[in-house]
Amino acid sequence: MDESRHARSTSARGDTARPAGIPVAAAPRTGRQEAAVSAPGAVLSRPSAPAGGPQSMVPQVALAVVCGGYALGAALGWGSHEIALFMGDFGLSAAALVAAVSCALYARRHRTSRFRPAWMLFAASSAMAGLGNGVWGWYEVVLRAEVPSPSLADFCFLLFAPPAIVGLLVLAKRPVSRAGWVCLGLDAWLIAGSLVTLSWSLTLAHTTHFQGTSVAQSALSLAYPLLDIVLVSMVLVLHFRRSSVHRSAINTAVAALALTVLCDALFSSPLLRDHYRSGQILDAGWFAGSILLAYAPWVARRTPGEPAADDLQRTARRPQPPGSRPIAGSLAALTPYLAAAVCTLGILTNVLDGRRIDKVVLFTGCTVVLALVVRQGIMLLDNITLTQELAQKENHFRSLVQGSSDVIMIAAPTGVLRYVSPAAAGVYGRDAEELVGSELASLIHPEDLGRVVHEVRRFLAASPEKEPTTRIECRFRAGDRRVGGDGWLNVESTVNRHHGGLIFNSRDVTERVRLQAQLQHNASHDALTDLPNRALFTERVSQAVTGRRASDHDTAVLYIDLDGFKQVNDTIGHQAGDELLVQAARRLGESVRSGDIAARLGGDEFAALITGDGTRDHTARELRVHEIADRLRIKLSEPYRIDGRDVRVAASIGVAFADPGVTPSALLRNADMAMYRAKQAGKGRVEMYAPQMQAEVVQRAELAGKLRTALHDGEFTLLHQPVVELSSGKVTALAAHARWRSAEGILFTPHEFLRVGDRGRRTEDGARAAELSRWQLEEALEQAGARHRAGHPVPVAVRLSARRLMDRAMPPRTVETLLDRHGLPPGSLVLELSDSDPRIPLDELERRLVALRRLGVRIALDGFGSGYAAMALRRLPVDVLRLDRGMIDGVVESPRLRKITAGLLRIAADLGMQSVADGVDLPEQVLALHSMGCTHGQGLAFSGPLDEPRLRCALARGAYPVPDLAGESRAVVLSGSAVPARRGAAAAPESLVHPPLRSNSETSVPPT
């Protein structure tokens, strides 16, 4: 546009057409010449549709309509000369101002963009063009006056090119080194110098000799084309050095400037220059250049399918196929030589035309050649430096590859190894030369080959950007020097792509794989016996119950516990116990079938999973599994040879079947309950699970919970039953009995709740029973102390099991402390030793009882005549012998039992012990026991358990009536006594009135 305005200034002075001396690019549209070379391709080409979806065509259509409308109006002459002048001046001004506003608005919205300064410079350049056209229109259209030369419009037109040139430099790809910046400047000068040489030879030389113009006009005429030449040079340089980011926006901006310069070049031809008027068709090109520049920055807006800048950069960095070379890179390398060729062509044109070579042409041509030589020298030095760096890096990487402990292999697309690093000798035990040329598939274990091929194919089909590498682990054939034959190594390889083939970076991970396998085995097997542990066994049970064999309901779990194992640990040591467990595990593993699983669950508990054979007959399956379990029981119960001695333990086995709907945890729990029932039933036996076992466990758990609550809430009470001397009826002691008065008003007896505490398997139950025993002892001594202070110094008998007496929760000095606390003499307490456990060492129990006897505490052996009590009589220090009520019930009717009881009583008398008969409920039993030598009795024949008020009354009276040998009673029956009064010796037996008989350990209602 600058050139047209300058032409109009000359025509205003008298020429209707532009002077012939105006050069080719004598217009202020200087920056537009730059795009002349690339303009056709940039304007005609459409941006490729985004991958994510079709881009909207509305902006392009609107742009084409506006530019087409302006071109149509210019072609038709706008209808009048005034409108043509207005559109040729203010129309171009408006288009340039629209471009300025558009570029400035984009730069304001994108403050963080690297190209923001370029758009600001383009906005300034367009503003200068718009202002120049506006000033020109003011003179030509508004004032209808001649435009002065030079004028403010010329100043604005000259300022159009510099901002555009700098903006193009910002858009160009920045060099990374100082040599790159120098080469960029040299390339720009090579292009500009060649264009100056060519333009000067054709037209510019005539402009300098134009007569009748002032110095300012001549300078102005030269300034316009020179600035256009610089702009064209930058366009050409940018075309080969433009950034890959926002390529569409940059191409559009370059096309806009190129279109403007193209119009300037067309205007310079004599044909158009002599007949040009404002508003003609040539103005449509300048108008389209401004509108295209206004649209250029918004092309950079990313549509949903357009790749982001980093995606474009990664695409630009993507390695090209071997032998391929980008066309743009080749043209960029040839640009300096093409520029020098153009310069030479300009000089040859002058020589061939017979004209004298102009000094300007000679000087410019020499500088172009010098610039080309300097550029070639810089490139040569740069290539030498790059070659040296490449050699150093190659040596460096060669050293790394050859010295690496990993094996690096390059495989061709056919799978043949092209390169193997020397580390193969140390890792694989095979020389690298031996491996080169062999097929990779022949070196991989056949079982792993299919998986490796599948992974390689999947990796090659994946996108390199999303998955640059993959990892493969397989077994690799090793050489003789590594494993001593055709062995296999576990190899882990990192795989990369390489020219259609693959690079394998491999390392030996055999030891790691072995360690992982060992750790996995240790995590799922018992460390002592090497049998599967609880976790693995539970997993196998889950697979059997929920897997494909879930329909085999004859699958069973055997829960095994070694009876007497604790005694082995306590007597001969834990090391012997460990040896016993190892031998038991070996027997168990050898005894189960090949398809079954044996495991150690912990301690002396084992288990076995017996798989079914698909039978539906319940009787047959129970018989089959019972035979297997009984065979295991017999095998495990055989003597064990440990440290030169035979050790015997028994095995209690519980069996549970995988019935429909049972869960793995429930199956194990059922087998555990069946095993517990086997131990309760006498140990060393096999028990099958029955549903009522679960109900009993639930009931016992509920009762244990209530017992725990009762202990904390104080619901227990203590009753006392008198121990009477059979010869005189005198109360010589009191037997303490615990009772539990529940919230419902029911008074539970020891028979109902002590079995929960004393026989519970769980530690919690044992702790609860120990707490109850401590409470009973403390409460009995506290009440005995109160009675002693009230004048009733009657000893109290407290029943205590040997296990509770040996419990850690009851230290040896506990009894002494309680006696001192309540002010009782040692003889006030009688400890009744009941339910002695055969597993308790008699030596330790004897030491504990001897210590108590030294304090003055008397010891009674409860339940004599049954079980373990008779065996312990010869070892334990006992003062009182209590006959079990089982011997008293039939002592009157059975002569045989009467002889046994009489014998036991004689033994007690010979040992100097008192004898107490428990459960004396009938007068006939009193007479029979007294006649056999029994000294004391306790039962309903005298009194049941009494609460404290009734007990005080009984103690105040001092004695109970007893039948004598003459058949007459000595005293009146006390209130509450269970013995009827005898009216005389002649009374018949039927005259004896018997009360309802009750057990001495049961009370149906709470006493009042």
Side-chain angles (χ1 to χ4, degrees):
M1 291 187 297
D2 313 325
E3 180 185 24
S4 64
R5 300 308 176 194
H6 176 67
R8 296 171 191 176
S9 66
T10 58
S11 63
R13 295 193 304 271
D15 285 331
T16 57
R18 297 177 190 261
I22 297 297
V24 175
R29 333 275 171 127
T30 53
R32 306 159 200 177
Q33 274 186 335
E34 167 196 59
V37 176
S38 60
V43 173
L44 296 177
S45 64
R46 292 187 179 182
S48 59
Q55 188 176 2
S56 175
M57 299 298 293
V58 175
Q60 290 88 334
V61 173
L63 181 66
V65 170
V66 172
C67 295
Y70 189 95
L72 182 62
L76 298 177
W78 298 103
S80 66
H81 178 69
E82 290 77 9
I83 296 177
L85 289 177
F86 181 84
M87 295 301 295
D89 293 333
F90 289 110
L92 296 180
S93 177
L97 292 177
V98 168
V101 172
S102 176
C103 293
L105 183 61
Y106 180 84
R108 182 179 179 183
R109 290 186 178 181
H110 300 79
R111 298 179 182 274
T112 59
S113 175
R114 183 170 70 88
F115 300 130
R116 180 173 179 267
W119 299 114
M120 291 296 295
L121 290 169
F122 289 150
S125 178
S126 299
M128 289 296 101
L131 183 59
N133 281 312
V135 171
W136 198 273
W138 177 263
Y139 283 103
E140 191 174 47
V141 178
V142 179
L143 300 180
R144 297 183 181 273
E146 181 181 353
V147 180
S149 181
S151 65
L152 179 61
D154 295 322
F155 177 76
C156 293
F157 292 150
L158 288 175
L159 291 180
F160 170 81
I165 294 172
V166 179
L168 290 173
L169 286 174
V170 174
L171 292 179
K173 187 185 296 182
R174 298 179 180 179
V176 296
S177 63
R178 287 181 294 180
W181 283 104
V182 174
C183 289
L184 177 62
L186 292 174
D187 290 343
W189 170 245
L190 286 171
I191 297 173
S194 62
L195 293 177
V196 167
T197 302
L198 186 60
S199 300
W200 191 276
S201 301
L202 297 177
T203 59
L204 293 183
H206 302 287
T207 303
T208 58
H209 298 91
F210 186 74
Q211 302 295 328
T213 59
S214 63
V215 177
Q217 291 175 347
S218 299
L220 195 62
S221 298
L222 289 175
Y224 287 141
L226 291 178
L227 288 174
D228 278 346
I229 289 174
V230 174
L231 193 56
V232 169
S233 302
M234 294 310 303
V235 168
L236 292 175
V237 172
L238 178 63
H239 177 71
F240 300 112
R241 292 179 178 268
R242 62 184 181 273
S243 174
S244 60
V245 183
H246 302 323
R247 185 184 296 267
S248 57
I250 297 174
N251 288 338
T252 306
V254 170
L257 296 175
L259 182 59
T260 303
V261 176
L262 178 62
C263 293
D264 291 343
L266 292 175
F267 176 77
S268 64
S269 65
L271 181 62
L272 293 178
R273 184 178 64 227
D274 295 339
H275 301 88
Y276 174 78
R277 294 291 184 275
S278 295
Q280 292 183 352
I281 190 63
L282 193 58
D283 289 344
W286 290 316
F287 180 85
S290 297
I291 295 300
L292 198 60
L293 186 60
Y295 173 68
W298 305 103
V299 181
R301 291 183 301 172
R302 185 183 177 192
T303 57
E306 186 178 354
D310 53 351
D311 297 334
L312 292 174
Q313 291 175 359
R314 285 197 299 267
T315 304
R317 291 193 301 267
R318 184 181 301 174
Q320 300 292 333
S324 66
R325 193 170 197 177
I327 298 177
S330 301
L331 292 178
L334 294 176
T335 300
Y337 305 99
L338 294 176
V342 171
C343 181
T344 305
L345 181 61
I347 297 175
L348 290 177
T349 302
N350 288 337
V351 173
L352 294 176
D353 290 344
R355 291 180 290 177
R356 184 175 60 86
I357 299 177
D358 193 277
K359 294 181 180 180
V360 175
V361 173
L362 183 59
F363 176 77
T364 306
C366 291
T367 56
V368 168
V369 174
L370 180 62
L372 181 61
V373 172
V374 173
R375 186 186 186 280
Q376 193 68 20
I378 293 176
M379 296 302 296
L380 180 59
L381 293 177
D382 194 29
N383 288 338
I384 293 175
T385 304
L386 291 177
T387 303
Q388 293 176 351
E389 292 180 359
L390 182 61
Q392 292 177 358
K393 291 182 178 179
E394 184 178 356
N395 294 332
H396 175 69
F397 283 108
R398 182 182 292 108
S399 301
L400 289 178
V401 170
Q402 294 180 354
S404 175
S405 59
D406 293 351
V407 180
I408 299 176
M409 301 183 297
I410 300 178
T414 58
V416 177
L417 294 177
R418 291 178 176 174
Y419 173 80
V420 179
S421 65
V427 176
Y428 298 149
R430 308 178 68 172
D431 293 332
E433 294 78 8
E434 179 186 352
L435 294 175
V436 173
S438 59
E439 292 187 1
L440 188 60
S442 64
L443 302 175
I444 299 176
H445 196 281
E447 296 179 1
D448 300 339
L449 183 58
R451 176 173 51 84
V452 173
V453 172
H454 178 270
E455 175 62 20
V456 168
R457 290 177 177 174
R458 184 203 63 79
F459 172 66
L460 292 176
S463 172
E465 287 77 18
K466 295 182 179 179
E467 191 173 2
T469 63
T470 188
R471 189 180 66 86
I472 295 177
E473 187 170 333
C474 63
R475 284 168 289 180
F476 198 89
R477 187 184 300 276
D480 299 338
R481 289 179 292 173
R482 177 59 194 262
V483 205
D486 280 342
W488 297 96
L489 299 174
N490 293 93
V491 176
E492 180 186 64
S493 301
T494 302
V495 186
N496 296 270
R497 298 174 179 85
H498 176 69
H499 295 298
L502 295 173
I503 297 179
F504 292 85
N505 191 354
S506 307
R507 62 204 62 89
D508 181 16
V509 293
T510 305
E511 291 302 323
R512 189 193 72 186
V513 171
R514 291 175 180 173
L515 180 60
Q516 289 176 346
Q518 184 63 38
L519 291 177
Q520 185 176 2
H521 179 83
N522 294 343
S524 59
H525 288 74
D526 178 59
L528 179 63
T529 62
D530 203 39
L531 288 178
N533 58 14
R534 181 181 292 271
L536 181 58
F537 184 76
T538 304
E539 180 182 350
R540 293 292 187 268
V541 172
S542 300
Q543 294 175 357
V545 173
T546 61
R548 62 181 181 86
R549 302 186 62 88
S551 58
D552 296 341
H553 304 314
D554 55 340
T555 298
V557 169
L558 275 57
Y559 210 102
I560 307 168
D561 185 86
L562 300 181
D563 303 322
F565 176 75
K566 185 178 183 302
Q567 188 175 2
V568 174
N569 274 340
D570 295 340
T571 54
I572 60 179
H574 290 274
Q575 185 174 359
D578 291 344
E579 177 62 26
L580 189 148
L581 292 176
V582 171
Q583 294 185 23
R586 186 181 304 114
R587 293 182 185 182
L588 183 61
E590 294 172 353
S591 301
V592 297
R593 302 173 305 174
S594 59
D596 300 335
I597 301 172
R600 182 192 177 199
L601 305 183
D604 60 340
E605 293 183 346
F606 296 85
L609 176 64
I610 308 300
T611 56
D613 54 5
T615 180
R616 295 290 181 176
D617 189 351
H618 287 193
T619 303
R621 75 170 188 178
E622 290 184 1
L623 180 62
R624 178 179 65 85
V625 175
H626 193 282
E627 290 177 354
I628 296 174
D630 199 55
R631 186 176 70 250
L632 292 179
R633 181 191 63 80
I634 295 174
K635 189 68 175 179
L636 293 174
S637 300
E638 293 178 357
Y640 296 86
R641 191 68 179 177
I642 300 175
D643 294 338
R645 68 175 75 179
D646 288 338
V647 178
R648 291 181 177 271
V649 294
S652 297
I653 302 178
V655 181
F657 288 94
D659 293 323
V662 68
T663 62
S665 59
L667 181 60
L668 289 172
R669 182 197 61 207
N670 295 343
D672 186 20
M673 285 189 293
M675 185 272 293
Y676 179 47
R677 175 60 62 88
K679 296 180 76 67
Q680 283 184 324
K683 303 178 182 179
R685 55 186 294 142
V686 177
E687 283 288 341
M688 297 285 182
Y689 170 77
Q692 59 267 25
M693 294 182 183
Q694 178 65 24
E696 293 177 1
V697 170
V698 173
Q699 181 182 5
R700 187 167 63 248
E702 291 177 355
L703 188 58
K706 293 179 180 180
L707 177 62
R708 185 188 313 112
T709 304
L711 283 171
H712 288 88
D713 295 347
E715 296 180 1
F716 278 91
T717 186
L718 203 62
L719 304 182
H720 293 81
Q721 188 174 25
V723 178
V724 179
E725 187 177 15
L726 297 182
S727 60
S728 63
K730 179 181 178 181
V731 178
T732 59
L734 299 174
H737 297 288
R739 295 292 186 269
W740 174 15
R741 183 179 286 107
S742 67
E744 293 82 4
I746 302 176
L747 199 66
F748 291 101
T749 63
H751 176 73
E752 295 169 319
F753 63 80
L754 286 183
R755 61 189 175 94
V756 177
D758 281 340
R759 298 182 182 179
R761 291 181 62 204
R762 297 179 301 173
T763 305
E764 181 182 355
D765 296 338
R768 212 59 61 201
E771 185 177 353
L772 178 61
S773 299
R774 288 195 302 271
W775 173 87
Q776 184 175 354
L777 179 61
E778 293 177 0
E779 186 70 15
L781 291 179
E782 182 179 359
Q783 294 185 14
R787 290 192 297 271
H788 186 81
R789 290 189 293 273
H792 303 290
V794 182
V796 60
V798 179
R799 182 176 298 175
L800 197 66
S801 67
R803 181 167 51 179
R804 298 294 167 236
L805 185 63
M806 301 297 296
D807 198 346
R808 296 179 180 178
M810 186 175 290
R813 298 187 61 84
T814 300
V815 176
E816 183 180 3
T817 302
L818 292 175
L819 291 174
D820 293 341
R821 179 188 304 170
H822 300 293
L824 292 173
S828 301
L829 175 63
V830 179
L831 285 181
E832 297 180 357
L833 195 63
S834 65
D835 295 337
S836 297
D837 194 339
R839 293 175 294 182
I840 296 178
L842 290 180
D843 295 337
E844 186 175 352
L845 180 60
E846 182 181 8
R847 287 194 296 270
R848 180 68 62 87
L849 295 178
V850 168
L852 290 173
R853 286 191 69 190
R854 289 174 180 172
L855 294 176
V857 176
R858 292 188 296 166
I859 307 299
L861 186 61
D862 189 21
F864 187 76
S866 65
Y868 180 76
M871 297 173 57
L873 180 63
R874 64 184 182 89
R875 293 286 305 274
L876 302 180
V878 178
D879 301 298
V880 180
L881 186 67
R882 295 180 60 88
L883 295 179
D884 185 76
R885 66 176 297 108
M887 303 185 67
I888 306 302
D889 288 341
V891 71
V892 177
E893 295 83 1
S894 173
R896 180 180 180 85
L897 184 58
R898 191 162 49 250
K899 291 181 179 180
I900 296 174
T901 304
L904 294 176
L905 291 174
R906 284 195 299 271
I907 293 175
D910 294 341
L911 295 176
M913 300 180 184
Q914 288 185 358
S915 55
V916 178
D918 189 9
V920 182
D921 298 333
L922 300 175
E924 293 86 346
Q925 294 173 344
V926 175
L927 295 175
L929 290 170
H930 185 270
S931 63
M932 286 185 284
C934 183
T935 58
H936 296 76
Q938 170 187 339
L940 295 179
F942 306 104
S943 174
L946 304 175
D947 59 359
E948 194 63 24
R950 290 190 176 188
L951 180 62
R952 293 292 179 92
C953 294
L955 293 178
R957 301 191 182 242
Y960 284 95
V962 293
D964 55 10
L965 296 177
E968 295 180 355
S969 59
R970 294 185 177 182
V972 181
V973 177
L974 297 175
S975 175
S977 172
V979 181
R982 297 177 66 89
R983 300 302 179 186
E990 58 270 13
S991 63
L992 229 56
V993 180
H994 296 284
L997 297 181
R998 304 187 188 97
S999 169
N1000 68 329
S1001 61
E1002 296 182 359
T1003 303
S1004 59
V1005 295
T1008 57

